[in-house]
């Protein structure tokens, strides 16, 4: 394996592109796949040979239909929670695919390892945060604000996908900052959950005392 192909500026930029598209997949699975496919078909981005199937009009049509169905589903009450369950592993897979597709020619083991860690991990973290936000939204409003949350998520997915393809470095910096916040939120969510349950259990005993 040529280390120069792994540690250079172009590889770094392409990795930022993959991370940015993976983060977008965490908001909407098929939006970055559609954006990457359209950009490839129109010659804006040249994908490796193994991903030539993304550069076809048929792929654009399939992703467009899937994207439309996904967007519509998030505006149907309670179906959005079902989609969250399905979207979590789907986002991980999509993040891995888009990162591997934009990675430079390198050892396949290194390519897919980077894709799994950087792409799949980023998409998984993003999807995890959106799930928490949706659960919180449902708990506070009974699901009434979920369409607003869905719209915001869609706009972020579209904006981030376009920005990633146009300015991958800028998009990558934004995503890295977002990931830091996401990790902190996820950590606080799981750290405080047992504490809240303990407090609720202890409170009646204090009242009796």
């Amino acid at each position: 394996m040529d280390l120069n192909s792994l540690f250079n500026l172009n590889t770094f930029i392409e990795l930022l592109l993959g991370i940015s598209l993976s983060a977008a997949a965490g908001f909407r699975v098929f939006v970055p796949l559609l954006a990457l496919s359209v950009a490839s078909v129109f010659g804006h981005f040249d994908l490796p040979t193994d991903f030539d199937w993304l550069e076809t009009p048929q792929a654009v049509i399939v992703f467009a239909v899937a994207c439309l169905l996904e967007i519509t589903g998030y505006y149907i009450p309670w179906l959005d929670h079902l989609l969250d369950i399905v979207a979590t592993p789907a986002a991980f897979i999509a993040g891995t695919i888009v990162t591997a597709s934009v990675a430079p020619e390198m050892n396949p083991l290194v390519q897919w390892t980077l894709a799994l860690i950087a792409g799949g991990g980023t998409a998984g973290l993003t999807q995890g945060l959106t799930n928490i936000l949706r659960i919180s939204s449902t708990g506070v409003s009974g699901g009434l604000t979920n369409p607003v949350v869905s719209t915001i998520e869609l706009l972020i997915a579209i904006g981030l996908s376009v920005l990633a393809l146009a300015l991958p470095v800028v998009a990558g910096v934004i995503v890295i900052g977002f990931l830091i916040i996401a990790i902190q939120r996820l950590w606080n969510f799981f750290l405080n959950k047992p504490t809240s349950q303990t407090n609720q259990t202890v409170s009646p005993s204090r009242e009796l005392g």
Side-chain angles (χ1 to χ4, degrees), residues 38-107:
V38 170
S40 301
V41 168
F42 283 95
H44 178 74
F45 199 85
D46 186 23
L47 298 176
T49 305
D50 293 341
F51 294 92
D52 282 344
W53 57 274
L54 281 170
E55 300 184 19
T56 62
Q58 292 84 354
V60 172
I61 295 173
V62 170
F63 288 138
V65 173
C67 190
L68 180 61
L69 292 175
E70 181 185 21
I71 292 171
T72 303
Y74 273 103
Y75 288 101
I76 300 176
W78 305 111
L79 181 58
D80 54 351
H81 296 293
L82 179 60
L83 285 175
D84 279 335
I85 297 175
V86 178
T88 299
F92 184 87
I93 295 172
T96 302
I97 290 175
V98 295
T99 302
S101 67
V102 300
E105 295 292 341
M106 62 175 65
N107 186 300

Side-chain angles (χ1 to χ4, degrees), residues 49 54 75 106-107 118 129 131-132 134 147 159-160 183 201 204:
T49 305
L54 281 170
Y75 288 101
M106 62 175 65
N107 186 300
L129 183 61
N131 288 345
I132 292 175
R134 192 173 300 280
L160 191 55
I183 293 172
T201 304

Side-chain angles (χ1 to χ4, degrees), residues 3-4 10 13 15 47 52 79 86 105 114-115 129-131 142 150 160 168 171-172 175 186:
L3 293 180
N4 290 329
N10 289 335
I13 293 176
L15 184 60
L47 298 176
D52 282 344
L79 181 58
V86 178
E105 295 292 341
L114 281 175
L129 183 61
T130 59
N131 288 345
S150 296
L160 191 55
V175 168
L186 288 172

Side-chain angles (χ1 to χ4, degrees), residues 119-170:
T122 299
L125 281 173
T126 307
Q127 180 64 32
L129 183 61
T130 59
N131 288 345
I132 292 175
L133 291 176
R134 192 173 300 280
I135 292 172
S136 301
S137 172
T138 302
V140 172
S141 66
L144 294 177
T145 59
N146 284 5
V148 177
V149 175
S150 296
T151 301
I152 294 174
E153 291 173 352
L154 175 60
L155 292 176
I156 293 176
I158 295 174
L160 191 55
S161 297
V162 174
L163 183 62
L165 292 170
L167 300 170
V169 175
V170 176

